[in-house]
């Protein structure tokens, strides 16, 4: 179990101290609490019951599309509550202590391992294993909620990281507007050419220097593309002191030391306005969340490609987004499962994701339902279909990487804007991971 002191560090600036203890107090057995899925129908029950669902604000648009489609086609009705991202941990902690969690709880896939290990969810192993298309679903979202062989979660909304570039700025800089970077060296080269335009407010790239979550989303894929890792298999040790990670950090350091190389405020960016500079046409090229690209596709000015590694020809992505499970407090497990079961089906995935230009969590849907989609969306999907993406898993991931002031965030700050010691900073991440 994550210690109280460690959890306190994790939630600093995110949740009130009074709400830290309840989540830890759930227990670490992962036994799914009091609710049970024993004996429910394979497809669940649709009998007009109201089901409650909590999800995070960054994925509000996609969540609303899902709930609207389900409510229109079912007797059951899902009551959706959107939780501000920074309030999610405290909200879940308080509700867990008072046995008032919603029927269905969706959360950041990297936080799911901790929640699952603390008994937040109901064990739905039999139901998940009974899905005919289980092998077609995003496995990282299932594995994130698997504890000692028991399965608690399925994918809710998939978000992946991609590389985007501004075609207009590329043209002005003498670059081919149809060709994004195919290696980290090319990324630096192209960013520096945009920087050299010396246009007011325009920079080569941008980095959310104070957001551990944005930084893992941006930087990890290049390491994976090279065949390197960021943690050991059980998530108890950091492996960031490798040549690929050093190459990526050195690339951003070079841009930080270049006039207009990184956008103003990169060092201080907390993630709140992380995507705004590119969306406003002020950045040449940068890694970007797929869930924010839909608005970009309304115009033809932006290109999209997989995130490259330090070696040309290799790419990867961070398979993020939210996973969902039935909470330990649900009084409507059969009805909640009806929602989960429905969303895993190809027809539902096409309606609520593919037809909206969003990324489906079903591989077969990705392969068949996007034939008429924007070519850039097809490019994004290809990274998932090719199996090059990863979803990191550790109960202490939030503390080690995502939390404000995490050792990972400090590692990047030291490497890009300071004189960091990658080996020592990697050990600091390991110290947190190994304390789980």
């Amino acid at each position: 179990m994550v210690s109280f002191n460690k959890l306190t560090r994790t939630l600093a600036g995110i949740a009130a101290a009074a709400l830290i203890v309840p989540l830890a107090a759930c227990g670490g057995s992962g036994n799914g609490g009091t609710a049970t899925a024993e004996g429910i129908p394979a497809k669940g029950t649709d009998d007009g019951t109201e089901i409650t669902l909590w999800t995070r604000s960054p994925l509000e648009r996609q969540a609303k599309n899902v709930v609207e489609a389900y409510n229109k086609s079912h007797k059951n009705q899902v009551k959706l509550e959107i939780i501000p991202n920074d309030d999610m941990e405290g909200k879940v902690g308080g509700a867990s202590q008072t046995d008032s969690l919603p029927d269905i709880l969706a959360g950041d896939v990297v936080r799911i391992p901790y929640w699952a290990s603390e008994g937040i969810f109901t064990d739905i192993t039999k139901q998940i294993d009974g899905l005919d298309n289980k092998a077609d679903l995003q496995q990282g979202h299932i594995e994130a909620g698997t504890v000692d062989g028991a399965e608690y979660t399925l994918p809710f909304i998939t978000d992946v990281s991609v590389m985007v570039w501004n075609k207009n700025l590329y043209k002005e800089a003498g670059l081919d507007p149809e060709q994004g970077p195919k290696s980290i060296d090319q990324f630096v080269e192209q960013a520096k050419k945009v920087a050299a335009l010396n246009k007011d407010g325009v920079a080569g790239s941008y980095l959310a220097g104070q957001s551990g979550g944005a930084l893992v989303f941006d930087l990890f894929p290049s390491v994976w593309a090279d065949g390197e890792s960021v943690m050991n298999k059980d998530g108890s040790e950091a492996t960031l002191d490798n040549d690929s990670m050093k190459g990526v950090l050195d690339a951003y350091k070079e841009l930080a030391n270049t006039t207009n190389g990184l956008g103003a405020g990169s060092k201080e960016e907390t993630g709140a306005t992380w995507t705004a500079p590119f969306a406003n046409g002020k950045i040449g090229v940068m890694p970007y969340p797929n869930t924010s690209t839909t608005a970009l596709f309304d115009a033809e000015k932006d290109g999209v490609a997989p995130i490259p590694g330090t070696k040309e020809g290799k790419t990867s992505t961070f398979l993020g987004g939210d996973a969902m499970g039935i909470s330990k407090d649900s009084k409507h497990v059969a009805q909640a499962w009806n929602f989960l079961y429905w969303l895993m089906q190809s027809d539902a995935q096409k309606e609520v994701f593919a037809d909206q230009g969003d990324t489906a969590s079903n591989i077969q849907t990705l392969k068949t339902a996007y034939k008429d989609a924007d070519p850039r969306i097809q490019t994004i999907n290809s990274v998932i279909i090719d199996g090059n993406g990863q979803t990191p898993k550790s109960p202490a991931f939030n503390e080690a990487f995502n939390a404000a002031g995490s050792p990972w965030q400090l590692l990047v700050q030291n490497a890009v804007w300071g004189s960091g010691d990658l080996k020592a900073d990697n050990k600091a991440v390991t110290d947190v991971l190994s304390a789980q």
Side-chain angles (χ1 to χ4, degrees), residues 252-330:
Y252 280 95
K253 186 177 185 67
E254 183 175 347
L255 291 178
N257 291 330
T258 299
T259 302
N260 304 322
L262 290 180
S266 286
K267 185 177 180 180
E268 297 78 26
E269 175 63 63
T270 64
T273 57
W274 166 36
T275 60
F278 184 86
N280 292 333
K282 299 297 185 180
I283 300 300
V285 57
M286 67 178 285
Y288 208 76
N290 172 52
T291 49
S292 296
T293 60
T294 304
L296 303 181
F297 292 165
D298 291 339
E300 293 295 326
K301 68 182 182 67
D302 300 307
V304 178
I307 295 178
T310 63
K311 304 168 183 134
E312 187 171 344
K314 300 293 186 179
T315 63
S316 187
T317 188
F318 192 112
L319 291 174
D322 280 16
M324 63 178 171
I326 301 171
S327 85
K328 69 180 181 65
D329 300 328
S330 176

Side-chain angles (χ1 to χ4, degrees), residues 222-229 244 311 314 390:
S222 294
V223 177
W224 293 330
D226 286 351
E228 296 284 357
S229 64
S244 293
K311 304 168 183 134
K314 300 293 186 179
Q390 294 189 37

Side-chain angles (χ1 to χ4, degrees), residues 91-422:
K91 177 92 169 177
V92 172
S96 178
Q97 185 186 45
T98 57
D99 299 328
S100 56
L101 289 165
D103 293 300
I104 303 168
L105 177 63
D108 191 335
V109 68
V110 298
R111 193 51 173 160
I112 291 295
Y114 175 69
W115 288 357
S117 70
E118 291 296 306
I120 291 293
F121 297 110
T122 295
D123 185 344
I124 50 174
T125 306
K126 182 178 179 180
Q127 287 71 32
I128 293 176
D129 288 349
L131 292 170
D132 292 339
N133 63 348
K134 178 186 176 184
D136 294 331
L137 303 176
Q138 291 292 355
Q139 297 303 300
H141 289 66
I142 298 175
E143 292 167 3
T146 299
V147 180
D148 296 331
E151 298 166 341
Y152 297 93
T153 60
L154 284 167
F156 181 43
I157 297 169
T158 296
D159 193 10
V160 297
S161 49
V162 294
M163 187 70 77
V164 295
W165 65 93
N166 184 301
K167 292 183 179 182
N168 292 336
L169 291 175
Y170 267 43
K171 287 179 184 177
E172 291 183 47
L175 295 164
D176 183 346
E178 301 304 321
Q179 295 295 324
K182 296 181 180 179
S183 68
I184 290 299
D185 283 346
Q186 288 185 17
F187 163 71
V188 174
E189 176 186 351
Q190 293 173 13
K192 289 175 78 171
K193 286 194 174 183
V194 172
L197 292 173
N198 287 317
K199 294 186 68 173
D200 185 37
V202 170
S205 192
Y206 195 77
L207 194 64
Q210 295 286 344
S211 173
L215 290 169
V216 298
F217 211 58
D218 284 356
L219 307 185
F220 281 9
S222 294
V223 177
W224 293 330
D226 286 351
E228 296 284 357
S229 64
V230 297
M231 294 186 295
N232 64 352
K233 189 173 182 179
D234 66 4
S236 62
E237 180 182 350
T239 57
L240 299 163
D241 54 340
N242 58 65
D243 290 342
S244 293
M245 187 79 260
K246 184 177 186 303
V248 173
L249 294 170
D250 285 348
Y252 280 95
K253 186 177 185 67
E254 183 175 347
L255 291 178
N257 291 330
T258 299
T259 302
N260 304 322
L262 290 180
S266 286
K267 185 177 180 180
E268 297 78 26
E269 175 63 63
T270 64
T273 57
W274 166 36
T275 60
F278 184 86
N280 292 333
K282 299 297 185 180
I283 300 300
V285 57
M286 67 178 285
Y288 208 76
N290 172 52
T291 49
S292 296
T293 60
T294 304
L296 303 181
F297 292 165
D298 291 339
E300 293 295 326
K301 68 182 182 67
D302 300 307
V304 178
I307 295 178
T310 63
K311 304 168 183 134
E312 187 171 344
K314 300 293 186 179
T315 63
S316 187
T317 188
F318 192 112
L319 291 174
D322 280 16
M324 63 178 171
I326 301 171
S327 85
K328 69 180 181 65
D329 300 328
S330 176
K331 302 298 189 293
H332 310 295
V333 175
Q335 291 82 0
W337 174 250
N338 180 258
F339 175 83
L340 270 64
Y341 176 88
W342 165 80
L343 188 55
M344 295 307 102
Q345 306 309 304
S346 295
D347 289 347
Q349 291 275 311
K350 180 181 184 302
E351 177 185 0
V352 301
F353 297 125
D355 291 351
Q356 307 300 323
D358 292 314
T359 302
S361 299
N362 183 313
I363 297 296
Q364 291 306 314
T365 305
L366 290 175
K367 290 180 177 179
T368 61
Y370 294 83
K371 293 179 180 177
D372 297 324
D374 187 299
R376 291 168 291 185
I377 294 176
Q378 295 178 11
T379 296
I380 293 168
N381 292 347
S382 70
V383 185
I384 305 172
I385 294 170
D386 291 344
N388 293 335
Q390 294 189 37
T391 304
K393 178 181 178 180
S394 171
F397 191 91
N398 195 59
E399 294 88 339
F401 294 100
N402 280 15
S406 70
W408 156 250
Q409 179 189 315
L410 297 176
L411 179 153
V412 176
Q413 287 275 330
N414 291 338
V416 175
W417 290 283
S419 53
D421 182 334
L422 189 56

